[in-house]
Amino acid sequence: MKRKRLTELFPFLLPLRQKQRKFLFYLKMKFDKAIYSHTKEEGLLPHLIFETHSLLINPNTGYDIRYQYNKVHNLKLAVMTMDHILIRPGETFSFWQLARYADRKERYKDGLCLVHGEIQGVYGGGLCQLSNLLYWLFQHTPLTVVEHHNHAKHSFPVPESGVPSWVDATVSEGWLDLKVKNETNATFQLDFLFDEDNLYGCILADRPVPLPEEVSAL
């Protein structure tokens, strides 16, 4: 029998545990000597490396559809922190270094998230759709993956998408991040666009870069 976490036995301790984890999470990054990407450039870099899309509303989850619309709201807040971000030589892209204060001006809503092995509506849920898309973009570049985590399990159907179903990158603030380091001489840039149905993402560079062998072989 799996032993329960302390916060499962005493749920009232969870907010305190979350604050503690987030404090240590960012403190560690403050002293890890990495140079994190924070610079944006309104103009786009000239070379398109790869682009993809992800369907926003998945009607086949089996859960209240409002969580899907809440997820879109959350995605838009997080994307604003990353749109047009530059990843310069020597810099590290961190999902949470950028999305950390995405809800400062406008609050997140409850979206679906995996908690203790169960799907629940939680504050800021649904951001893994963005991390999945980002991971697929990064797979088409020579950027080095520094941190990446898979979901523990998949509990509802994945909507149609330009991101393959086996591409998986979960994030959880205070626990799990998505990081890539630019160990090349090129500068990369992320660009995003929403329409009524999809989130579109692309990655660009200031010069042509070769497609990684493992991706070109797919």
Side-chain angles (χ1 to χ4, degrees):
M1 183 176 178
K2 186 177 179 180
R3 185 177 180 181
K4 287 189 175 182
R5 298 182 178 89
L6 187 62
T7 51
E8 291 180 89
L9 296 171
F10 306 101
F12 64 89
L13 293 175
L14 184 58
L16 181 63
R17 177 59 172 159
Q18 289 173 333
K19 287 183 180 180
Q20 178 196 46
R21 284 296 302 239
K22 289 177 185 179
F23 174 78
L24 296 174
F25 185 76
Y26 292 112
L27 183 66
K28 181 180 178 181
M29 280 196 273
K30 185 176 181 180
F31 294 103
D32 66 7
K33 299 182 180 179
I35 302 171
Y36 289 102
S37 301
H38 287 288
T39 303
K40 291 188 176 186
E41 187 171 297
E42 287 308 309
L44 295 178
L45 296 180
H47 296 279
L48 175 64
I49 306 303
F50 184 70
E51 59 185 340
T52 190
H53 72 281
S54 184
L55 189 66
L56 292 170
I57 302 298
N58 180 3
N60 299 315
T61 66
Y63 295 84
D64 192 327
I65 193 65
R66 70 184 173 90
Y67 289 122
Q68 292 292 300
Y69 293 108
N70 288 353
K71 174 196 68 177
V72 175
H73 170 85
N74 295 342
L75 288 171
K76 289 180 177 179
L77 294 184
V79 160
M80 281 194 298
T81 70
M82 303 176 191
D83 194 26
H84 290 197
I85 199 77
L86 297 176
I87 310 173
R88 293 168 167 162
E91 290 185 342
T92 296
F93 169 94
S94 160
F95 186 98
W96 286 117
Q97 275 285 330
L98 296 171
R100 180 179 184 179
Y101 297 121
D103 63 340
R104 175 170 280 176
K105 293 183 179 179
E106 187 174 353
R107 302 292 286 170
Y108 282 132
K109 297 180 180 181
D110 286 351
L112 295 177
C113 189
L114 186 66
V115 180
H116 299 321
E118 296 182 359
I119 296 295
Q120 301 177 14
V122 299
Y123 179 79
L127 294 184
C128 291
Q129 183 166 347
L130 176 57
S131 58
N132 282 351
L133 185 145
L134 283 165
Y135 187 57
W136 185 228
L137 291 176
F138 294 146
Q139 290 297 298
H140 291 80
T141 73
L143 295 170
T144 302
V145 177
V146 176
E147 182 177 349
H148 162 253
H149 306 272
N150 292 322
H151 284 83
K153 69 175 183 178
H154 295 276
S155 301
F156 48 76
V158 178
E160 293 182 7
S161 173
V163 181
S165 59
W166 48 264
V167 173
D168 187 18
T170 185
V171 289
S172 177
E173 189 177 13
W175 278 265
L176 309 173
D177 202 356
L178 174 63
K179 294 180 183 177
V180 293
K181 185 175 182 180
N182 185 358
E183 297 179 318
T184 77
N185 293 322
T187 294
F188 295 85
Q189 183 182 37
L190 294 170
D191 181 48
F192 299 95
L193 176 69
F194 286 90
D195 67 14
E196 291 184 0
D197 300 314
N198 292 282
L199 165 60
Y200 298 89
C202 69
I203 190 160
L204 308 101
D206 62 351
R207 66 195 70 185
V209 297
L211 189 68
E213 291 183 8
E214 58 271 23
V215 174
S216 60
L218 293 176

